[in-house]
Amino acid sequence: MRLSSPSRRRSSWRRSATAALAVALLTGAGVAAPPSMAAALPHETAQGSALRSVAELSARRLATGDLVAAAKWGTGSPVDDPARERQVLDSAADRAGELGADPWLTRLVFRDQIEANKAVQRGLHRLWRDHLSGAPAERPRLDDVRKEIDRLNEALVRAIADSAPYRRAAPLCRVALAASAGRVSRERSLDALHVTALAGSLKSVCGSRRQHAE
């Protein structure tokens, strides 16, 4: 029996992860999407380019979850931080209003971002508890990490505002977003934890006030 090489296995896993990400984003809006949909997603258009910025910034923001997890590891600090979360949500909504974007939808997207970031933190803490050898040897300063998160928050609010014209047709938006998120996932070689979190962080991007009210 011929065994596959590690590089082939990694490539196969990335294709499977991309398919799973596409299915999660597409079916989140009730769009039928078999796993083969990932291979059929369109090449990037102006819409895809705008949504790619949202996906890329979301992935970069998720990466800070690794740093926050390391900063809190072994300190007894909880993953949940309601005061900080309210601050981020209020700031994002206020900034969206200043940019002429929808504060309500922006707040929804950032709520998803926060929950996805916490999912990464919890996942890493579970992993480190089970495999102490993989736990971080050093802890970054949480205040420094939060400064980077704040910079990404500003960029993400702008990206959400800039992508508004391309998010009006939800089904088409979902397809373009899935394509962009899949490319970001492949380029960053995200693992299963971060692929799942990325899908969660983007689930409200193509929504609307009416859809979420129903």
Side-chain angles (χ1 to χ4, degrees):
M1 181 176 64
R2 184 178 179 180
L3 298 177
S4 60
S5 67
S7 62
R8 286 180 179 173
R9 287 196 295 270
R10 286 193 296 270
S11 177
S12 177
W13 182 90
R14 280 194 288 269
R15 286 195 299 270
S16 297
T18 300
L21 177 62
V23 170
L25 288 171
L26 289 166
T27 56
V31 179
S36 59
M37 174 64 79
L41 291 172
H43 295 294
E44 286 195 5
T45 59
Q47 181 188 44
S49 180
L51 293 171
R52 182 187 175 88
S53 295
V54 176
E56 175 63 32
L57 288 165
S58 296
R60 287 170 58 188
R61 195 181 189 286
L62 272 181
T64 66
D66 298 43
L67 299 176
V68 175
K72 293 182 177 181
W73 174 249
T75 66
S77 298
V79 168
D80 293 282
D81 189 341
R84 166 68 178 175
E85 292 171 26
R86 283 194 299 271
Q87 178 189 14
V88 170
L89 292 172
D90 291 344
S91 178
D94 290 345
R95 187 67 179 123
E98 293 171 0
L99 295 172
D102 184 343
W104 184 85
L105 180 61
T106 302
R107 181 182 286 269
L108 277 182
V109 173
F110 269 82
R111 168 50 62 193
D112 293 341
Q113 297 283 328
I114 289 170
E115 292 302 319
N117 195 290
K118 291 192 295 185
V120 167
Q121 294 177 50
R122 293 189 182 102
L124 289 175
H125 282 180
R126 285 194 299 269
L127 178 65
W128 296 339
R129 283 194 296 269
D130 293 340
H131 305 281
L132 284 176
S133 61
E138 298 181 1
R139 284 197 295 266
R141 293 183 67 252
L142 189 56
D143 286 345
D144 292 339
V145 179
R146 284 178 170 172
K147 288 177 183 177
E148 174 61 17
I149 293 174
D150 289 341
R151 286 191 288 269
L152 289 170
N153 287 347
E154 168 67 17
L156 183 55
V157 172
R158 287 183 173 275
I160 293 169
D162 291 343
S163 66
Y166 305 104
R167 293 188 280 104
R168 289 170 185 157
L172 293 177
C173 175
R174 288 275 175 182
V175 172
L177 181 62
S180 296
R183 291 188 180 96
V184 169
S185 176
R186 289 196 304 273
E187 290 167 3
R188 298 180 72 90
S189 298
L190 299 186
D191 60 18
L193 173 64
H194 291 78
V195 166
T196 301
L198 181 59
S201 75
L202 297 171
K203 66 182 182 181
S204 295
V205 170
C206 294
S208 68
R209 187 181 297 270
R210 178 181 177 183
Q211 287 171 327
H212 286 284
E214 292 176 347

